[in-house]
Structure formats: C-alpha cells, structure tokens
Amino acid sequence: MKIEINGDFNLKDTITCGQIFRYYEDNDKYIIIIKDRVIEISLNNNNLIVDSNKRENLVEVVKEYFDLNRNYEDINKKIIKNDKNMKDIISSCKGFKVINQDPFETIIEYIISSNNSVKSIRKSLDLIAEKYGEKVLFKNKEYYLFPSPKYLCNVTEEEFRTYKVGFRDKYLVNIIKEINNNNLNLKEINNLSSEELMKKLMSYNGIGTKVSSCICLFSYKRFDVFPIDTWVKKIMLEKYNIKTQDEIKEYAISTYKEYSGLAIQYMFHYKRNK
DNA sequence: AACCAGGTTATAA
DNA sequence: TTATAACCTGGT
C-alpha cells in the first residue's frame, strides 16, 4: 500500500530518535507496532510504502501515528518568526515528527526509562510483550503487541523484576492497578489542561517531571509541554546562557508559546545528532 | 573496579 | 526550598 506524503517527512529519524523503543530495522524498512497491528514501512521519495497484518484503515492509522495530518511547515515558520536562532536548528530537523503514542504503553515505557539505558528499556518491554502481548504472525515472523492494562493486572513486583525493570517494579504494579480500577482513566484525563495533566501524572510514584512531560507530549499531543534533559540544558546554556530548569521553561513558553514542546524537541535532536 | 545511562524518591539540612 | 544518596541492570 502506498501513501503519498505532502511536505517533509524523515521516517528514519522519526522512528529512531528515541521516542519509541520497540521497532525493528531491516535496511530501509522498519517494522513498528501500532496498537493491534504489525506494520512494515519504508519511504521511497514522496511515498510511504506500507504493509500490515491488518489492512483496514491502514492509511489513516499510519497518518495518525506519524502525525502526518499536522502542518509542521506552518508551525516551524511561527517558531522561527519568534526566534531566528531556530532557523538552522529546524532545517537540520527537517521532516521530523512527534509520534502519536498510545498512553498506556507510553506510561509503562517511560516509567521504565528512568535512569535507564535504551537497550535495557527495550529489553524489559520486549519481555513484557512476549509474555502478555498477543502474538501476531506477519510475513512468517512472530511479533508481540503491547499488552493492554487488563492483561497486566495480576503481574506482581517479583514478576516484574524478572523482566529486569529493577526498582521500578512497584511503580508499575501501582499504576496498572489504578488504571484497571478506573481511578486513573487514560481517556478522561485528556480533558485536563496541560498543567493539570502534568500534575495528575506526577501524583503517581515513578512519574516525575521528565517522564510526565514525555507522556504529555508523546501520547496526549501537548505541544506546550516539553522534557528537559541534559542535551536541552546544554544547548540552552550555549545559545542563551540560560541555566536552570525553571528559566528554560519560562524562556521556552514565552518565546515559542503553544509550540514550545516542538521547539525544544528540535533543539534536542539538533544537539544530540551533532 | 568504579562509573554511568535521556530520573525519581526519600531524607536531611 | 534545595541538596544528596540510593536505586536495578547491563555495559565499558
């Protein structure tokens, strides 16, 4: 199946930038897992070549996942208008998109990500998916979907340790319990303002400011929220002589307004790729 | 052998 | 309010 792209899209950078953990690379083709589908995808000039075990609405699913319906060119212009420094940074991130991730999977992923390496995060997620996720056969290979909350309701802290999540075991057990008994409704919290959503997520152990902002940006599409890490701190210090987390926040919000999340992501990629 | 990885919590000043 | 140690794991 073919999807024509209008505008810039850098498939490789978008998939491999570190936002998602479970993907498989095979030359220029990628296997990704979106909800109940295993999808093979590659980019050929202006066309995405896509195949999947489930083809209904595949085009819409892929467009939604890679945020292809949003006009990034317009947003980029607005960001540059407010800060000319961003021109070079943005042109080096041409075609980068913020992936639309499932909230539950993102919460689990990013709780596990704290003080952890990408490789180790991926290992834990694969172990969990292989044990509890539905198996899908696609092109003669086996893949595992990420399990929904109810499949994980009986997993104990001890069992999570066998999936190498370490001290994060209790955080996972607790939030899975809260989601399953509907004290935490992942659809409903989308009605909260970004600030309230941040606060709500951070009320759970294992979710601090960094993890919470990743969840807000990646699975609730809050472009006014952004993670601040060592890379962002470095570039802020170099370019603007801004030091603390609070100052970074203030500068980004006042300069980039509702698109600070994207502006900061651009800085992150620019700095990290250099 | 000591240190670190894209963090968070608990505790102490 | 701000600083610091401890934390599982797997890798140099």
Side-chain angles (χ1 to χ4, degrees), chain A residues 48-152:
Chain A
L48 278 175
I49 313 299
V50 183
D51 195 5
S52 173
N53 61 305
K54 204 176 159 189
R55 294 183 176 156
E56 308 92 82
N57 304 319
L58 184 57
V59 172
E60 286 71 26
V61 168
V62 168
K63 281 189 164 178
E64 160 90 2
Y65 185 74
F66 287 110
D67 208 21
L68 298 178
N69 297 316
R70 193 188 305 270
N71 190 332
Y72 278 69
E73 279 78 9
D74 269 5
I75 300 176
N76 294 349
K77 275 184 202 151
K78 283 180 188 156
I79 293 174
I80 292 170
K81 199 177 147 200
N82 290 324
D83 181 0
K84 301 285 182 276
N85 276 319
M86 289 301 290
K87 199 172 171 185
D88 285 347
I89 295 175
I90 286 178
S91 67
S92 80
C93 299
K94 222 168 135 184
F96 168 80
K97 311 281 182 184
V98 179
I99 291 177
N100 221 327
Q101 286 185 266
D102 172 72
F104 177 65
E105 184 173 354
T106 310
I107 287 170
I108 302 303
E109 277 182 357
Y110 280 87
I111 286 176
I112 293 174
S113 81
S114 75
N115 197 24
N116 207 348
S117 64
V118 171
K119 198 174 172 191
S120 168
I121 299 162
R122 190 188 159 124
K123 184 178 180 186
S124 294
L125 293 170
D126 281 342
L127 286 169
I128 292 167
E130 280 162 26
K131 177 82 180 188
Y132 291 101
E134 191 185 320
K135 187 201 285 186
V136 171
L137 199 63
F138 176 60
K139 296 198 170 178
N140 289 323
K141 277 191 183 166
E142 290 176 358
Y143 300 94
Y144 294 86
L145 307 179
F146 195 79
S148 62
K150 63 176 189 288
Y151 292 126
L152 297 178

Side-chain angles (χ1 to χ4, degrees), chain A residues 68-242:
Chain A
L68 298 178
N69 297 316
R70 193 188 305 270
N71 190 332
Y72 278 69
E73 279 78 9
D74 269 5
I75 300 176
N76 294 349
K77 275 184 202 151
K78 283 180 188 156
I79 293 174
I80 292 170
K81 199 177 147 200
N82 290 324
D83 181 0
K84 301 285 182 276
N85 276 319
M86 289 301 290
K87 199 172 171 185
D88 285 347
I89 295 175
I90 286 178
S91 67
S92 80
C93 299
K94 222 168 135 184
F96 168 80
K97 311 281 182 184
V98 179
I99 291 177
N100 221 327
Q101 286 185 266
D102 172 72
F104 177 65
E105 184 173 354
T106 310
I107 287 170
I108 302 303
E109 277 182 357
Y110 280 87
I111 286 176
I112 293 174
S113 81
S114 75
N115 197 24
N116 207 348
S117 64
V118 171
K119 198 174 172 191
S120 168
I121 299 162
R122 190 188 159 124
K123 184 178 180 186
S124 294
L125 293 170
D126 281 342
L127 286 169
I128 292 167
E130 280 162 26
K131 177 82 180 188
Y132 291 101
E134 191 185 320
K135 187 201 285 186
V136 171
L137 199 63
F138 176 60
K139 296 198 170 178
N140 289 323
K141 277 191 183 166
E142 290 176 358
Y143 300 94
Y144 294 86
L145 307 179
F146 195 79
S148 62
K150 63 176 189 288
Y151 292 126
L152 297 178
C153 67
N154 290 322
V155 183
T156 61
E157 296 178 9
E158 293 71 31
E159 189 181 342
F160 269 125
R161 291 254 166 170
T162 67
Y163 308 135
K164 308 298 175 188
V165 304
F167 60 88
R168 309 157 191 92
D169 57 352
K170 49 194 176 298
Y171 308 149
L172 296 174
V173 168
N174 178 252
I175 203 157
I176 288 165
K177 185 190 85 201
E178 292 298 301
I179 291 167
N180 275 315
N181 69 20
N182 209 33
N183 280 341
L184 175 57
N185 183 313
L186 298 182
K187 282 208 175 76
E188 253 170 38
I189 60 174
N190 193 32
N191 296 322
L192 298 173
S193 71
S194 296
E195 201 182 338
E196 289 168 331
L197 181 57
M198 279 289 287
K199 234 186 248 169
K200 174 78 179 169
L201 291 167
M202 285 168 67
S203 70
Y204 297 91
N205 268 0
I207 303 183
T209 50
K210 166 75 196 307
V211 170
S212 185
S213 48
C214 287
I215 298 167
C216 286
L217 180 60
F218 299 150
S219 62
Y220 290 96
K221 291 284 136 164
R222 305 307 175 100
F223 276 48
D224 55 339
V225 173
F226 44 87
I228 299 170
D229 64 359
T230 49
W231 298 105
V232 173
K233 279 182 185 156
K234 268 184 200 160
I235 196 166
M236 277 294 185
L237 188 64
E238 281 169 24
K239 289 226 182 256
Y240 310 99
N241 197 30
I242 293 174

Side-chain angles (χ1 to χ4, degrees), chain A residues 36 38 103 203 213 271:
Chain A
D36 57 345
V38 175
S203 70
S213 48
K271 192 71 194 167

